[in-house]
Coordinates of all heavy atoms in Angstrom, one line a residue:
Y493 N 93.5 83.1 114.4 CA 94.1 84.2 113.9 C 94.0 84.5 112.4 O 94.4 85.4 111.9 CB 95.8 83.7 113.9 CG 96.3 83.9 115.2 CD1 96.1 82.8 116.3 CD2 97.0 85.0 115.8 CE1 96.5 82.9 117.5 CE2 97.5 85.1 117.1 CZ 97.2 84.0 118.0 OH 97.8 84.1 119.3
C494 N 93.1 83.8 111.8 CA 92.9 83.9 110.3 C 91.4 84.2 110.0 O 90.9 83.9 108.9 CB 93.3 82.6 109.5 SG 95.1 82.4 109.6
D495 N 90.8 84.7 110.9 CA 89.3 85.1 110.8 C 89.0 86.4 111.6 O 89.7 86.7 112.6 CB 88.4 84.0 111.1 CG 87.1 84.2 110.4 OD1 86.9 85.3 109.6 OD2 86.2 83.3 110.5
V496 N 88.0 87.2 111.2 CA 87.5 88.3 111.9 C 86.5 88.1 112.9 O 85.6 87.1 112.7 CB 87.0 89.4 110.9 CG1 86.3 90.6 111.6 CG2 88.1 89.8 109.9
D497 N 86.6 88.6 114.2 CA 85.5 88.4 115.1 C 84.2 88.9 114.6 O 84.2 90.1 114.2 CB 86.0 89.0 116.4 CG 85.2 88.5 117.5 OD1 84.1 89.0 117.7 OD2 85.4 87.5 118.3
P498 N 83.1 88.3 114.8 CA 81.9 88.9 114.3 C 81.5 90.3 114.9 O 80.8 91.0 114.2 CB 80.9 87.8 114.8 CG 81.6 86.5 114.8 CD 83.0 86.9 115.3
V499 N 82.0 90.5 116.0 CA 81.7 91.9 116.5 C 82.4 93.0 115.6 O 81.7 94.0 115.5 CB 82.1 92.1 118.0 CG1 83.8 92.2 118.1 CG2 81.5 93.1 118.7
F500 N 83.4 92.6 114.9 CA 84.0 93.6 114.0 C 83.6 93.5 112.5 O 84.0 94.4 111.8 CB 85.5 93.6 114.1 CG 86.1 93.8 115.6 CD1 86.8 92.9 116.2 CD2 85.8 95.0 116.2 CE1 87.3 93.1 117.5 CE2 86.3 95.2 117.5 CZ 87.1 94.3 118.1
G501 N 83.0 92.5 112.2 CA 82.6 92.2 110.9 C 83.1 90.9 110.2 O 83.1 89.9 110.9
T502 N 83.5 91.0 109.0 CA 83.9 89.8 108.2 C 85.2 90.0 107.4 O 85.6 91.1 107.4 CB 82.8 89.4 107.2 OG1 82.8 90.4 106.2 CG2 81.4 89.2 107.8
L503 N 85.7 88.9 106.9 CA 86.8 89.1 106.1 C 86.6 89.8 104.9 O 87.5 90.7 104.5 CB 87.3 87.6 105.7 CG 88.2 86.8 106.7 CD1 88.5 85.4 106.2 CD2 89.7 87.5 106.9
A504 N 85.4 89.9 104.4 CA 85.0 90.8 103.2 C 85.1 92.2 103.8 O 85.5 93.1 102.9 CB 83.7 90.4 102.7
D505 N 84.6 92.4 105.0 CA 84.9 93.8 105.4 C 86.2 94.1 105.6 O 86.5 95.5 105.3 CB 84.1 93.9 106.8 CG 82.5 93.8 106.7 OD1 81.9 94.1 105.8 OD2 82.0 93.3 107.8
F506 N 87.0 93.4 105.9 CA 88.4 93.7 106.0 C 89.1 93.9 104.6 O 89.8 95.0 104.5 CB 89.2 92.5 106.7 CG 90.7 92.8 106.8 CD1 91.2 93.5 107.7 CD2 91.6 92.2 105.8 CE1 92.6 93.8 107.8 CE2 92.9 92.4 105.8 CZ 93.4 93.3 106.8
D507 N 88.7 93.1 103.6 CA 89.2 93.3 102.3 C 88.8 94.7 101.8 O 89.6 95.5 101.1 CB 88.7 92.3 101.4 CG 89.3 90.9 101.8 OD1 90.4 90.9 102.4 OD2 88.8 89.9 101.3
A508 N 87.5 95.1 102.1 CA 86.9 96.4 101.7 C 87.7 97.6 102.4 O 88.0 98.5 101.6 CB 85.5 96.4 102.0
M509 N 88.1 97.3 103.5 CA 88.7 98.5 104.3 C 90.2 98.5 103.7 O 90.6 99.6 103.5 CB 88.8 98.0 105.7 CG 89.4 99.1 106.7 SD 91.3 99.0 106.7 CE 91.5 97.3 107.3
I510 N 90.9 97.4 103.4 CA 92.2 97.5 102.9 C 92.0 98.2 101.6 O 93.0 99.0 101.1 CB 92.8 96.1 102.6 CG1 93.4 95.5 104.0 CG2 93.8 96.0 101.6 CD1 94.7 95.9 104.3
A511 N 91.1 97.8 100.7 CA 91.0 98.5 99.3 C 90.8 100.1 99.5 O 91.4 100.9 98.7 CB 89.8 97.8 98.5
R512 N 89.9 100.4 100.4 CA 89.7 101.9 100.6 C 90.9 102.6 101.0 O 91.2 103.6 100.5 CB 88.5 102.1 101.4 CG 88.1 103.5 101.7 CD 87.9 104.2 100.5 NE 87.5 105.6 100.6 CZ 87.6 106.7 99.7 NH1 88.1 106.4 98.5 NH2 87.4 107.9 100.0
A513 N 91.6 102.1 102.0 CA 92.9 102.6 102.4 C 93.9 102.9 101.4 O 94.4 104.0 101.2 CB 93.4 101.8 103.6
H514 N 94.0 101.9 100.5 CA 95.0 101.9 99.5 C 94.5 103.0 98.5 O 95.4 103.7 97.9 CB 95.1 100.5 98.9 CG 96.0 99.6 99.8 ND1 96.1 98.4 99.5 CD2 96.8 99.9 100.8 CE1 96.8 97.7 100.5 NE2 97.2 98.7 101.3
E515 N 93.3 103.1 98.2 CA 92.7 104.2 97.3 C 93.2 105.5 97.8 O 93.4 106.4 97.0 CB 91.2 104.1 97.2 CG 90.7 102.9 96.4 CD 89.2 103.0 96.4 OE1 88.6 103.9 96.9 OE2 88.6 101.9 95.9
L516 N 93.2 105.7 99.1 CA 93.4 107.0 99.8 C 94.9 107.1 100.0 O 95.3 108.2 100.5 CB 92.7 107.1 101.1 CG 91.1 107.1 101.0 CD1 90.6 107.0 102.5 CD2 90.8 108.5 100.4
G517 N 95.8 106.2 99.6 CA 97.1 106.3 99.7 C 97.6 105.9 101.0 O 98.8 106.3 101.5
L518 N 96.8 105.2 101.9 CA 97.3 104.8 103.2 C 97.7 103.4 103.1 O 97.1 102.5 102.7 CB 95.9 105.0 104.1 CG 95.5 106.4 104.3 CD1 94.0 106.3 105.1 CD2 96.5 107.2 105.2
K519 N 98.9 103.2 104.0 CA 99.3 101.9 104.3 C 98.5 101.3 105.5 O 98.1 102.1 106.2 CB 100.7 101.8 104.6 CG 101.7 102.5 103.5 CD 101.8 101.6 102.2 CE 102.8 102.1 101.3 NZ 102.8 101.3 100.1
V520 N 98.5 99.9 105.5 CA 97.8 99.3 106.6 C 98.6 98.3 107.4 O 99.2 97.3 106.7 CB 96.3 98.5 106.2 CG1 95.7 97.9 107.3 CG2 95.4 99.5 105.4
I521 N 98.9 98.6 108.7 CA 99.6 97.6 109.5 C 98.5 97.1 110.4 O 97.7 97.8 111.0 CB 100.6 98.4 110.2 CG1 101.7 99.0 109.2 CG2 101.3 97.6 111.2 CD1 102.8 100.1 109.9
I522 N 98.6 95.8 110.6 CA 97.8 95.1 111.6 C 98.5 94.4 112.8 O 99.7 94.0 112.6 CB 96.8 94.0 111.0 CG1 97.6 92.8 110.4 CG2 96.0 94.7 109.8 CD1 96.9 91.7 110.0
D523 N 98.0 94.3 114.0 CA 98.6 93.7 115.1 C 98.8 92.2 114.8 O 97.9 91.5 114.1 CB 97.8 93.9 116.4 CG 98.4 94.7 117.4 OD1 99.5 94.3 117.7 OD2 97.7 95.6 117.9
Q524 N 99.8 91.6 115.4 CA 100.0 90.2 115.5 C 100.4 90.0 117.0 O 101.4 90.3 117.4 CB 101.2 89.8 114.4 CG 100.9 90.0 113.1 CD 99.8 88.8 112.6 OE1 100.2 87.8 112.3 NE2 98.5 89.3 112.6
V525 N 99.5 89.2 117.5 CA 99.6 88.8 119.0 C 100.0 87.3 119.0 O 99.2 86.5 119.2 CB 98.2 89.1 119.7 CG1 98.6 89.0 121.2 CG2 97.8 90.5 119.4
L526 N 101.3 87.1 118.8 CA 101.7 85.8 118.5 C 102.5 85.1 119.7 O 102.8 84.0 119.7 CB 102.5 85.7 117.4 CG 101.8 86.1 116.0 CD1 102.8 86.3 114.9 CD2 101.0 85.0 115.6
S527 N 102.8 85.8 120.8 CA 103.6 85.3 121.9 C 102.8 84.3 122.8 O 103.1 83.5 123.5 CB 104.2 86.2 122.8 OG 103.3 87.0 123.6
H528 N 101.4 84.5 122.7 CA 100.4 83.8 123.4 C 99.1 83.7 122.6 O 98.9 84.4 121.7 CB 100.1 84.3 124.8 CG 99.6 85.7 124.7 ND1 100.5 86.9 124.8 CD2 98.4 86.3 124.5 CE1 99.8 87.9 124.7 NE2 98.4 87.7 124.6
T529 N 98.3 82.7 123.0 CA 96.9 82.5 122.4 C 95.9 82.7 123.4 O 96.3 82.8 124.6 CB 96.8 81.2 121.6 OG1 96.6 80.2 122.6 CG2 98.0 80.9 120.7
S530 N 94.6 82.6 123.0 CA 93.6 82.5 124.1 C 93.6 81.0 124.6 O 94.1 80.1 123.8 CB 92.3 82.8 123.4 OG 91.2 82.3 124.2
D531 N 93.0 80.8 125.6 CA 93.0 79.3 126.1 C 91.8 78.6 125.4 O 91.6 77.5 125.4 CB 92.8 79.2 127.7 CG 91.5 79.9 128.1 OD1 90.9 80.6 127.4 OD2 91.3 79.8 129.3
Q532 N 91.1 79.4 124.6 CA 89.9 78.7 123.8 C 90.5 78.4 122.4 O 89.8 78.0 121.6 CB 88.8 79.9 123.6 CG 88.3 80.3 125.0 CD 87.8 79.1 125.8 OE1 86.9 78.3 125.3 NE2 88.1 78.9 126.9
H533 N 91.8 78.7 122.2 CA 92.3 78.3 120.9 C 92.4 76.8 120.6 O 92.7 76.1 121.7 CB 93.7 79.0 120.6 CG 94.2 78.9 119.2 ND1 94.6 77.7 118.7 CD2 94.3 79.9 118.4 CE1 95.0 77.9 117.3 NE2 94.8 79.2 117.2
P534 N 92.1 76.2 119.6 CA 92.0 74.7 119.4 C 93.3 74.2 119.7 O 93.4 72.9 120.4 CB 91.6 74.5 118.0 CG 90.9 75.7 117.5 CD 91.5 76.8 118.4
F535 N 94.6 74.9 119.5 CA 95.8 74.3 119.8 C 96.0 74.0 121.3 O 96.4 73.0 121.8 CB 96.9 75.2 119.4 CG 97.1 75.4 117.9 CD1 97.9 76.3 117.2 CD2 96.4 74.5 117.0 CE1 98.0 76.3 115.8 CE2 96.4 74.6 115.6 CZ 97.3 75.6 115.1
F536 N 95.5 75.1 122.2 CA 95.7 74.9 123.5 C 94.8 73.7 124.1 O 95.1 73.1 124.9 CB 95.5 76.1 124.3 CG 95.8 76.0 125.8 CD1 97.1 75.9 126.2 CD2 94.7 76.0 126.7 CE1 97.4 76.0 127.5 CE2 95.0 76.1 128.1 CZ 96.3 75.9 128.5
A537 N 93.5 73.7 123.6 CA 92.6 72.6 123.9 C 93.2 71.3 123.8 O 93.1 70.4 124.6 CB 91.2 72.8 123.2
E538 N 93.9 71.1 122.7 CA 94.5 69.8 122.4 C 95.8 69.6 123.2 O 96.0 68.6 123.8 CB 95.0 69.9 120.9 CG 95.6 68.5 120.4 CD 95.8 68.4 119.0 OE1 95.6 69.3 118.3 OE2 96.4 67.3 118.6
S539 N 96.7 70.8 123.5 CA 97.8 70.6 124.2 C 97.6 70.3 125.6 O 98.4 69.4 126.2 CB 98.6 71.9 124.1 OG 99.8 72.0 124.8
R540 N 96.6 70.7 126.2 CA 96.3 70.5 127.7 C 95.7 69.0 127.9 O 95.6 68.6 129.0 CB 95.4 71.6 128.3 CG 94.0 71.5 127.9 CD 93.2 72.6 128.2 NE 93.5 73.2 129.6 CZ 92.9 74.2 130.1 NH1 92.0 74.9 129.4 NH2 93.2 74.6 131.4
K541 N 95.3 68.3 126.8 CA 94.8 67.0 127.0 C 95.6 66.0 127.7 O 95.2 65.2 128.7 CB 94.2 66.4 125.7 CG 93.0 67.0 125.1 CD 92.7 66.4 123.8 CE 91.5 67.0 123.0 NZ 91.2 66.4 121.8
D542 N 96.8 65.9 127.3 CA 97.8 65.0 127.8 C 99.2 65.5 127.4 O 99.4 66.4 126.7 CB 97.6 63.6 127.4 CG 97.4 63.4 125.9 OD1 98.4 63.8 125.2 OD2 96.4 62.8 125.4
R543 N 100.2 64.6 127.8 CA 101.6 65.1 127.3 C 102.2 64.4 126.1 O 103.3 64.4 125.7 CB 102.6 64.6 128.5 CG 102.2 65.3 129.9 CD 103.3 65.0 130.9 NE 102.8 65.5 132.3 CZ 103.6 65.7 133.3 NH1 104.9 65.4 133.1 NH2 103.2 66.1 134.5
L544 N 101.2 63.7 125.3 CA 101.7 62.9 124.1 C 101.1 63.3 123.0 O 101.5 62.9 121.8 CB 101.3 61.4 124.4 CG 102.1 60.8 125.7 CD1 101.5 59.3 125.8 CD2 103.6 60.9 125.5
N545 N 100.1 64.3 122.9 CA 99.3 64.7 121.8 C 100.3 65.6 120.8 O 101.2 66.1 121.2 CB 98.0 65.4 122.2 CG 98.3 66.7 122.8 OD1 98.6 67.7 122.1 ND2 98.2 66.7 124.1
P546 N 99.8 65.8 119.5 CA 100.7 66.4 118.7 C 101.0 67.9 118.9 O 102.0 68.3 118.5 CB 99.9 66.4 117.4 CG 99.0 65.2 117.5 CD 98.7 65.0 118.8
K547 N 100.1 68.5 119.8 CA 100.4 69.9 120.3 C 100.9 69.9 121.7 O 100.9 71.0 122.3 CB 99.0 70.7 120.2 CG 98.5 70.9 118.6 CD 99.5 71.7 117.8 CE 99.0 72.1 116.5 NZ 98.9 70.8 115.6
A548 N 101.3 68.8 122.1 CA 101.8 68.7 123.6 C 102.8 69.8 124.0 O 102.8 70.4 125.1 CB 102.3 67.3 123.9
D549 N 103.8 70.0 123.1 CA 105.0 70.9 123.4 C 104.7 72.2 122.7 O 105.6 73.0 122.4 CB 106.2 70.3 123.2 CG 106.4 69.8 121.8 OD1 105.5 69.9 121.0 OD2 107.5 69.5 121.4
W550 N 103.5 72.6 122.2 CA 103.3 73.8 121.6 C 103.1 75.1 122.6 O 103.2 76.3 122.2 CB 102.0 73.8 120.7 CG 102.5 73.3 119.3 CD1 103.2 72.0 119.0 CD2 102.1 73.8 118.1 NE1 103.3 71.9 117.7 CE2 102.6 72.9 117.0 CE3 101.4 75.1 117.7 CZ2 102.5 73.2 115.7 CZ3 101.3 75.3 116.3 CH2 101.8 74.4 115.3
Y551 N 103.0 74.7 123.8 CA 102.8 75.7 124.8 C 103.9 75.6 125.9 O 104.6 74.5 125.8 CB 101.4 75.6 125.5 CG 100.3 76.1 124.5 CD1 99.9 75.4 123.6 CD2 99.9 77.6 124.6 CE1 99.0 75.8 122.6 CE2 99.1 78.0 123.6 CZ 98.5 77.1 122.8 OH 97.5 77.6 121.7
V552 N 104.1 76.4 126.9 CA 105.1 76.2 127.8 C 104.6 75.5 129.2 O 103.9 76.1 130.0 CB 105.7 77.6 128.3 CG1 106.9 77.4 129.1 CG2 106.2 78.3 126.9
W553 N 104.9 74.2 129.2 CA 104.5 73.4 130.4 C 105.6 73.2 131.2 O 106.8 72.9 130.7 CB 103.9 72.1 129.8 CG 102.7 72.3 129.0 CD1 102.4 72.4 127.7 CD2 101.3 72.4 129.6 NE1 101.1 72.5 127.3 CE2 100.3 72.6 128.5 CE3 100.8 72.5 130.8 CZ2 99.0 72.7 128.6 CZ3 99.4 72.6 131.0 CH2 98.6 72.7 130.0
A554 N 105.5 73.0 132.4 CA 106.6 72.7 133.3 C 106.0 71.9 134.5 O 104.9 72.2 135.0 CB 107.3 73.9 133.9
D555 N 106.9 70.9 135.0 CA 106.5 70.1 136.3 C 106.5 71.0 137.5 O 107.4 72.0 137.5 CB 107.5 69.0 136.4 CG 107.3 68.0 135.2 OD1 106.1 67.8 134.8 OD2 108.2 67.3 135.0

Side-chain angles (χ1 to χ4, degrees):
Y493 286 83
C494 296
D495 204 355
V496 174
D497 193 277
V499 74
F500 298 125
T502 65
L503 279 171
D505 292 328
F506 177 81
D507 292 340
M509 186 274 301
I510 283 275
R512 178 57 180 156
H514 288 166
E515 285 177 7
L516 293 169
L518 294 168
K519 305 288 187 181
V520 178
I521 295 171
I522 66 172
D523 242 310
Q524 290 290 270
V525 190
L526 295 167
S527 69
H528 57 262
T529 73
S530 164
D531 62 355
Q532 302 302 305
H533 195 288
F535 291 171
F536 187 69
E538 185 174 0
S539 185
R540 73 191 316 182
K541 285 180 180 178
D542 55 52
R543 302 188 188 192
L544 299 174
N545 66 79
K547 295 293 188 292
D549 61 347
W550 275 51
Y551 291 82
V552 183
W553 295 97
D555 292 328

